Amino acid sequence: MQSSKSFSLEVEKIAKEKNITHMEAVIEHCRIQEIEPDTVSRLITKSLKDKIEDNARDLNFLPRQAKLPI
């Protein structure tokens, strides 16, 4: 089994190479490794979770949150 860091790095790599969302990359990685997606929840790091959440907001799957101007 993988560590959460190696899992996240692999998902990032897949997302970048295939130009897909991070959630799709998680599913793709699970398909390649022949593992069930519901078993990888403990491998998802905080930064990966934040990226998945941002992707979901961009796709209007989650309500938008107010952002402070930077």
Side-chain angles (χ1 to χ4, degrees):
M1 199 64 181
Q2 294 179 309
S3 70
S4 58
K5 183 167 178 82
S6 64
F7 178 81
S8 294
L9 289 173
E10 189 63 31
V11 168
E12 289 283 341
K13 180 179 158 192
I14 292 170
K16 188 174 182 177
E17 285 176 355
K18 295 189 176 197
N19 196 28
I20 57 177
T21 66
H22 289 84
M23 189 68 227
E24 291 170 325
V26 169
I27 301 299
E28 178 67 12
H29 182 63
C30 290
R31 186 189 64 76
I32 292 168
Q33 296 296 318
E34 297 180 351
I35 54 178
E36 290 295 320
D38 60 341
T39 63
V40 297
S41 63
R42 63 183 179 80
L43 297 176
I44 296 176
T45 61
K46 170 122 174 67
S47 66
L48 181 57
K49 181 180 176 185
D50 291 342
K51 290 176 184 177
I52 291 171
E53 193 173 297
D54 286 342
N55 290 154
R57 288 193 199 293
D58 290 343
L59 295 170
N60 293 322
F61 294 151
L62 294 174
R64 298 228 180 252
Q65 290 181 330
K67 292 185 181 180
L68 296 175
I70 298 175

